[in-house]
């Protein structure tokens, strides 16, 4: 056989394909889609084979040979390989970074055994001679070699080399990834019937099913108010897909991925559901992955990475809460799971459903342009009214009550008291954890910052008293006696966090059963579910929390929701801050009055006239879209443009600044020919993070292609100075 070569990529930022010689022993085994061990630098590194070619590129000298294979068959289906390539191209990362993000077993080593070849079996003397030469090794003998039970390890590597060289032994891989396809049970039926659909659900489902039966790619934007029955529409569409013998994927934001949510899928589809979430260990993850690959499981439900479930015959992808910012991965590959899901649906000729009560403006605009079909469900199931929203102007309240600066307005306090007396449940929302959010000098006014980050530290009350904590790098320290800036003034703690609200609630309502849910009370495994469960069983009267309590949960007993401070987040220097606040307020409000009794929202704010707040108060999504889209159009921000963000960082401020300046100078010179506008460099919103100084350059264009090509052109001319790290973020979701 003629010589063959393998093209291999590695999970490193270098966007390059490496060529290796395929040793004769691997020629018949190696396949595109397998992982391999390849010499890289001074060691053997895990790589991924993207091509088998008959000729090595002429310019490559001193080709090295591939060492061995880690898999006995291709791990990724062709559509996932294509998706990996798209992610690498679109998000400007290396193909290796993308492919290893897709694989759940990236670096999990398959066990490799040494077995005798037919030649070895016929040459006992030769084998024994090699064994003797290699010196005594426990557990390696003629017998164990014959049984194929000698596990490869660094200790046996000398022996392995000798035996392989003589052709007496070969490597055998353990297990295989995709087992036999089990196929669909004949005459598939759901385990449980759903309720009869109401009209708006039926209209939406009809449109979706029509497309499912065409087996073509299309995207639907299902905009339904909280409690309108979107999940029921997903379930019906999945059922249709299963009856066609296909598979489905459902993405849900991690925070909303509770046993209750998953339960709705398993009640209907039983053990055909495979659940993916970040708390799964690698073994469990691989098990579910294999169940999807073999077709034993047909519905993958999970957070961001469930998008990569190896469905062989994908009919449908659902992205619930499509606006959720956790769908964007914040390290390379910086893909947006919603957009990658649409891409995967397109590759597989599948249907995509994006669902939300408050869709992102990007999706709204795509629907307006006719790229997506908008399906609206403006009414709650059984025509239950949306909760009434009462606005409390904190500016007035504080003027009237002077020095007191209350946490709870009189109206909200009264409503909470009445609700407790009626034995009804309430939720209180504040999107700031900790006790006080700012430590301030009374003399010079400086805030106490984290020593590693340019972020004000939050005070927390622990068992040993008050301590300061950085929410970005987890630095902890005692509160200073005097101001670290002027070394003179005394410091004071101000700014409201959930711990302080909890203290206030306990003193105001000593009889009430109160629980707090935020990052600090849910660190332990299972604690998140424990709080939600006991709230659902009405063992808690008052649940207080951050955005953790806002999403997706269905608590039929809640009739009152208090929003302690609706303004948190409005002042962030990010063009999406209004959109985020609006979405969060609508989500929180949606928790009230989901069952028989009506719900009421008290929304405390210093900015009652802000468009985000007004639109949330009146449940007027259309008005918000209209106003916000006009604003974005005027400013030329997405969805009317595409953005790319380059972030340079180094622990020496001058060095990161110079690297960014140099890059920006080149980018600005070349920008016009790529149709790109360049802004910056400017200190990033979070200027110092974990002791690194950060400068960012913003690239803006009508189409993403120009941005990518401009960065490519930069990289072909300049190298980022050694030591300076540079991140490329296409379609960035955070500008900080
Ligand atoms: P969403 O996902 O839009 O918030 P859900 O699908 O969770 O809404 O529906 C809200 C509640 O209404 C759930 O308890 C669900 O079981 C119920 N429900 C959904 N559709 C119907 C229907 N057609 N008839 C009766 N109840 C329904
Ligand atoms: Zn910090």
């Amino acid at each position: 056989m003629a010589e063959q070569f393998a093209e291999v990529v590695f999970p490193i930022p270098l966007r390059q394909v490496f060529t290796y010689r395929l040793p004769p022993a691997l020629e018949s085994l190696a396949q595109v889609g397998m992982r391999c061990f390849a010499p890289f630098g001074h060691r053997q590194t895990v790589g991924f084979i993207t091509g088998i070619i008959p000729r090595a590129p002429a310019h490559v000298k001193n080709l090295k040979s591939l060492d061995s294979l880690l898999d006995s068959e291709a791990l990724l289906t062709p559509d996932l390989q294509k998706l990996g390539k798209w992610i690498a191209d679109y998000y400007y990362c290396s193909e290796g970074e993308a492919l290893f993000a897709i694989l759940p077993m990236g670096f999990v080593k398959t066990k490799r055994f040494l077995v005798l070849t037919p030649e070895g079996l016929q040459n006992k003397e030769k084998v024994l001679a090699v064994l003797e030469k290699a010196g005594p090794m426990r557990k390696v003998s003629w017998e164990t070699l014959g049984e194929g039970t000698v596990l490869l390890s660094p200790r046996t590597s000398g022996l392995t080399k000798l035996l392989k060289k003589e052709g007496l032994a070969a490597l055998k891989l353990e297990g295989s990834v995709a087992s036999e396809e089990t196929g669909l049970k004949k005459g598939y039926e759901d385990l449980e019937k759903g309720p009869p659909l109401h009209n708006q659900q039926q209209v939406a489902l009809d449109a979706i099913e029509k497309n499912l039966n065409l087996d073509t790619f299309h995207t639907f934007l299902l905009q339904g108010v909280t409690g309108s029955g979107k999940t029921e529409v997903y379930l019906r569409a999945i059922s249709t897909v299963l009856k066609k013998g296909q598979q489905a994927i459902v993405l849900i934001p991690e925070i909303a991925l509770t046993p209750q949510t998953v339960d709705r899928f398993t009640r209907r589809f039983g053990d055909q559901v495979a659940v993916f979430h970040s708390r799964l260990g690698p073994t469990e993850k691989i098990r579910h992955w294999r169940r999807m690959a073999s077709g034993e499981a047909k519905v993958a439900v999970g957070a961001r990475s469930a998008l990569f479930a190896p469905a062989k015959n994908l009919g449908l992808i659902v992205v619930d809460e499509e606006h959720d910012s956790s769908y964007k991965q914040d390290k390379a590959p910086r893909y947006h799971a919603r957009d990658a899901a649409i891409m995967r649906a397109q590759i597989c000729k599948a249907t995509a459903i994006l669902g939300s009560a408050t869709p992102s403006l990007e999706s709204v605009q795509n629907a307006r342009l006719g790229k997506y079909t908008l399906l609206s469900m403006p009414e709650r199931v059984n025509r239950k009214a949306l909760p009434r929203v009462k606005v409390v102007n904190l500016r007035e309240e504080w003027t009237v009550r002077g020095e007191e600066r209350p946490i709870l307005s009189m109206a909200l306090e009264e409503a909470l008291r009445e609700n407790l007396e009626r034995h009804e449940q309430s939720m209180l929302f504040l999107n700031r954890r900790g006790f006080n959010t700012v430590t301030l000098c009374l003399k010079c006014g400086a805030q106490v910052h984290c020593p590693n980050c340019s972020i004000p530290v939050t005070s927390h009350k622990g068992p040993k008293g008050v301590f300061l904590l950085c929410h970005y790098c987890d630095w902890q320290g005692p509160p200073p006696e005097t101001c670290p800036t002027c070394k003179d003034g005394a410091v004071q703690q101000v700014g409201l966090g959930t711990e302080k609200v909890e203290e206030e609630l306990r003193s105001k309502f000593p009889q009430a059963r109160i629980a707090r849910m935020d990052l600090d009370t849910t660190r332990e495994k299972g604690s998140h579910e424990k709080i939600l469960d006991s709230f659902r069983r009405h063992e808690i009267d008052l649940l207080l929390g951050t955005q953790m309590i806002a999403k997706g949960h269905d608590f039929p007993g809640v009739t009152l929701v208090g929003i302690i401070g609706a303004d948190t987040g409005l002042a962030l220097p990010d063009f999406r801050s209004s959109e985020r606040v609006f979405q969060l307020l609508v989500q929180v409000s949606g928790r009230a009055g989901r069952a028989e009794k009506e719900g009421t929202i008290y929304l405390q704010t210093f900015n009652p006239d802000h468009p985000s707040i007004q639109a949330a108060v009146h449940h007027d999504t259309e008005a918000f879209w209209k106003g916000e889209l006009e604003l974005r159009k005027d400013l030329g921000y997405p969805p009317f443009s595409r953005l790319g963000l380059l972030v340079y960082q180094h622990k020496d401020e001058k060095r990161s600044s110079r690297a960014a300046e140099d890059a920006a100078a080149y980018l600005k010179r070349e920008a016009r020919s790529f149709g790109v506008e360049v802004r910056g460099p400017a200190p990033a919103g979070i200027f110092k993070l974990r002791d690194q100084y950060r400068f960012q350059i913003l690239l803006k264009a009508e189409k993403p292609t120009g941005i990518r090509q401009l960065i490519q052109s930069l990289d072909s001319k300049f190298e980022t100075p050694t030591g300076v790290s540079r991140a490329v973020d296409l379609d960035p979701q955070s500008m900080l």
Side-chain angles (χ1 to χ4, degrees):
M1 212 201 278
E3 217 180 2
Q4 290 199 314
F5 301 87
E7 292 181 314
V8 177
V9 295
F10 297 97
I12 51 170
L14 209 57
R15 303 177 82 226
Q16 195 181 323
V17 178
F18 297 83
T19 310
Y20 290 90
R21 202 181 293 281
L22 263 180
L26 297 184
E27 261 176 21
S28 59
L29 299 175
Q31 270 179 42
V32 172
M34 287 179 175
R35 294 170 305 159
C36 59
F37 265 125
F40 189 79
H42 297 294
R43 352 174 243 133
Q44 299 286 343
T45 303
V46 180
F48 189 93
I49 303 178
T50 56
I52 307 275
I53 48 174
R55 223 167 283 120
H59 63 273
V60 188
K61 302 236 162 53
N62 300 326
L63 272 190
K64 290 179 182 159
S65 286
L66 216 59
D67 177 71
S68 53
L69 301 170
L70 268 79
D71 304 305
S72 49
E73 60 197 347
L75 285 181
L76 294 186
T77 47
D79 73 299
L80 281 172
Q81 289 177 38
K82 259 191 219 164
L83 188 67
K85 204 161 176 39
W86 177 80
I87 287 176
D89 287 345
Y90 188 92
Y91 294 102
Y92 200 80
C93 63
S94 76
E95 205 177 333
E97 285 175 311
L99 290 168
F100 278 85
I102 290 176
L103 286 171
M105 68 283 281
F107 306 100
V108 176
K109 277 188 203 158
T110 316
K111 282 183 186 158
R112 296 182 301 159
F113 297 91
L114 195 60
V115 289
L116 292 175
T117 54
E119 200 184 335
L121 282 167
Q122 285 162 15
N123 286 292
K124 187 169 179 179
E125 281 70 45
K126 261 188 167 172
V127 174
L128 288 178
V130 173
L131 280 176
E132 189 136 324
K133 200 162 140 199
M137 235 178 293
R138 273 195 309 135
K139 291 183 185 162
V140 182
S141 64
W142 167 254
E143 285 75 24
T144 53
L145 278 172
E147 289 159 10
T149 54
V150 175
L151 193 60
L152 239 59
S153 72
R155 286 182 47 227
T156 57
S157 69
L159 172 71
T160 308
K161 234 181 232 162
L162 286 172
L163 285 171
K164 272 167 72 185
K165 204 170 91 190
E166 305 259 343
L168 299 171
L171 299 182
K172 190 185 84 178
L173 301 167
E174 174 205 56
S176 70
V177 171
S179 42
E180 290 286 291
E181 218 170 311
T182 31
L184 193 81
K185 291 179 201 122
K186 282 223 177 71
Y188 167 78
E189 283 292 332
D190 295 347
L191 288 184
E192 163 200 271
K193 286 264 167 286
L197 296 185
H198 53 74
N199 191 38
Q200 57 182 18
Q201 284 174 316
Q202 193 64 55
V203 171
L205 183 66
D206 287 348
I208 293 164
E209 289 195 324
K210 202 170 145 203
N211 196 69
L212 286 173
N213 290 323
L214 289 175
D215 289 315
T216 55
F217 161 66
H218 191 69
T219 305
F220 293 92
L221 178 58
L222 180 61
Q223 192 227 338
V225 296
T226 48
S228 60
K230 293 186 289 295
T231 312
E232 188 57 40
V233 174
Y234 307 153
L235 291 167
R236 300 292 177 112
I238 295 167
S239 173
T240 301
V241 164
L242 297 192
K243 287 189 179 116
K244 290 180 69 204
Q246 294 179 308
Q247 290 168 295
I249 293 175
V250 183
L251 304 186
I252 296 173
E254 183 80 43
I255 208 170
L257 194 65
T258 59
Q260 266 69 33
T261 337
V262 173
D263 207 39
R264 290 183 72 178
F265 291 87
T266 47
R267 274 209 312 272
R268 190 125 344 151
F269 308 120
D271 57 7
Q272 313 210 48
V273 176
V275 184
F276 294 85
H277 54 76
S278 66
R279 298 179 300 279
L280 285 183
T283 328
E284 275 294 281
K285 222 178 244 173
I286 292 169
R287 196 172 68 82
H288 288 304
W289 206 80
R290 287 183 172 162
R291 288 181 59 223
M292 271 310 273
S294 71
E296 184 191 329
K298 304 220 161 48
V299 185
V301 178
R304 195 168 52 209
S305 65
L307 161 64
F308 304 131
K312 289 236 174 75
N313 190 0
L314 189 64
L316 174 70
I317 303 187
V318 175
V319 185
D320 192 29
E321 309 284 0
E322 67 90 30
H323 64 278
D324 199 276
S325 53
S326 71
Y327 281 128
K328 178 87 179 186
Q329 173 143 298
D330 57 9
K331 55 179 202 287
R334 291 180 171 77
Y335 66 93
H336 198 303
R338 173 197 59 215
D339 299 336
I342 292 171
M343 200 23 123
R344 184 158 187 210
Q346 189 171 354
I347 294 170
C348 297
K349 296 194 173 56
T351 300
I353 307 176
L354 312 180
S356 175
T358 52
S360 64
L361 287 170
E362 282 82 354
S363 296
V364 169
Q365 183 64 7
N366 278 329
R368 294 191 166 198
L369 295 174
K371 283 193 207 160
Y372 304 166
T373 300
L374 180 66
L375 304 167
S376 295
M377 304 207 294
E379 277 173 24
R380 282 186 153 183
V381 170
N382 300 338
R383 311 201 157 218
K384 237 164 279 155
L386 284 169
R388 272 172 303 149
V389 185
K390 298 190 173 168
V391 181
V392 180
N393 185 339
L394 282 178
R395 260 182 297 170
E396 285 170 9
E397 184 98 12
W398 281 26
T399 317
V400 175
R401 292 169 73 180
E403 279 299 283
E404 195 191 340
R405 305 202 156 182
I407 295 171
L408 299 175
S409 60
M410 283 184 282
L412 176 54
E413 187 176 333
E414 193 52 38
L416 280 170
R417 198 175 304 283
E418 282 173 10
N419 226 34
L420 282 169
E421 279 162 9
R422 278 197 302 266
H423 299 286
E424 291 179 12
Q425 289 180 292
S426 311
M427 285 171 94
L428 282 174
F429 170 80
L430 178 69
N431 208 15
R432 282 277 160 84
R433 63 190 179 101
F435 197 82
N436 287 118
T437 53
V438 176
T439 303
L440 198 71
C441 172
L442 290 174
K443 193 163 179 200
C444 74
Q447 297 183 356
V448 178
H449 281 85
C450 167
N452 313 318
C453 310
S454 54
I455 296 288
V457 282
T458 303
S459 68
H460 287 254
K461 269 194 180 165
K464 290 182 207 141
V466 177
F467 63 98
L468 300 179
L469 178 71
C470 172
H471 287 179
Y472 284 82
C473 74
D474 283 336
W475 172 88
Q476 283 191 21
E481 301 271 320
T482 49
C483 168
T485 306
C486 68
K487 314 257 187 284
D488 191 18
V491 295
Q492 196 191 4
Q493 318 264 351
V494 295
L496 191 57
T498 45
E499 290 180 21
K500 187 158 182 188
V501 177
E502 184 185 3
E503 195 180 83
E504 171 89 357
L505 290 174
R506 290 195 189 281
S507 87
K508 285 253 151 95
F509 309 109
Q511 318 296 343
R513 294 166 298 176
I514 297 170
R516 170 165 64 89
M517 193 161 103
D518 54 29
L519 207 61
D520 302 295
T521 62
T522 52
R523 284 195 199 277
E524 241 171 77
K525 202 176 161 182
S527 49
H528 182 223
E529 276 93 45
K530 223 153 110 193
I531 299 175
L532 293 176
D533 281 345
S534 57
F535 190 53
R536 206 170 278 111
R537 286 197 299 265
H538 204 154
E539 292 157 10
I540 296 169
D541 301 308
L542 232 170
L543 177 64
L544 156 74
T546 55
Q547 54 155 343
M548 277 190 166
I549 64 170
K551 308 214 169 150
H553 314 300
D554 198 0
F555 304 112
V558 175
T559 50
L560 175 68
V561 168
I563 298 169
I564 305 277
D567 312 310
T568 320
L570 273 185
L572 286 177
D574 188 322
F575 71 91
R576 283 194 186 87
S577 62
S578 293
E579 184 183 354
R580 296 256 161 75
V581 169
F582 172 71
Q583 287 162 343
L584 201 52
L585 292 179
V586 172
Q587 297 285 338
V588 179
S589 307
R591 299 307 117 217
R594 287 172 71 96
E596 288 75 42
K597 291 179 190 135
E598 262 189 35
T600 311
I601 317 289
Y602 283 81
L603 186 151
Q604 305 192 142
T605 173
F606 289 99
N607 302 288
D609 299 325
H610 191 283
S612 301
I613 290 172
Q614 278 296 316
V617 168
H618 296 108
H619 308 290
D620 197 348
T621 311
E622 288 285 341
F624 178 74
W625 288 351
K626 189 164 176 289
E628 189 64 19
L629 282 172
E630 270 168 26
L631 208 67
R632 299 271 182 98
K633 194 167 189 179
D634 286 346
L635 297 171
Y637 274 125
F640 299 97
S641 66
R642 292 307 190 92
L643 301 180
L645 201 59
L646 300 181
V647 182
Y648 288 83
Q649 54 178 39
H650 193 273
K651 61 179 188 301
D652 178 11
E653 185 182 335
K654 280 209 195 72
R655 289 189 62 185
S656 63
S657 143
R658 182 151 354 103
E661 293 281 356
D662 290 348
Y666 175 83
L667 293 168
K668 281 180 179 161
R669 256 194 332 269
E670 301 292 321
R672 278 191 57 179
S673 54
F674 292 92
V676 178
E677 192 186 318
V678 180
R679 294 211 193 139
I686 299 168
F687 178 39
K688 190 178 161 202
L689 186 63
R690 294 188 188 90
D691 252 337
Q692 302 271 318
Y693 290 89
R694 307 163 74 237
F695 286 86
Q696 64 186 32
I697 302 170
L698 184 65
L699 307 176
K700 200 158 119 180
E702 227 171 277
K703 296 238 156 60
T705 328
I707 296 179
R708 226 161 23 236
Q709 287 168 346
L710 179 58
I711 301 172
Q712 216 150 18
S713 152
L714 170 75
D715 284 350
S716 67
K717 299 275 173 10
F718 284 102
E719 241 173 80
T720 307
T722 26
V724 176
S725 93
R726 186 199 65 184
V728 177
D729 193 356
L730 269 300
D731 297 341
Q733 291 295 302
S734 164
M735 309 300 287
L736 302 178

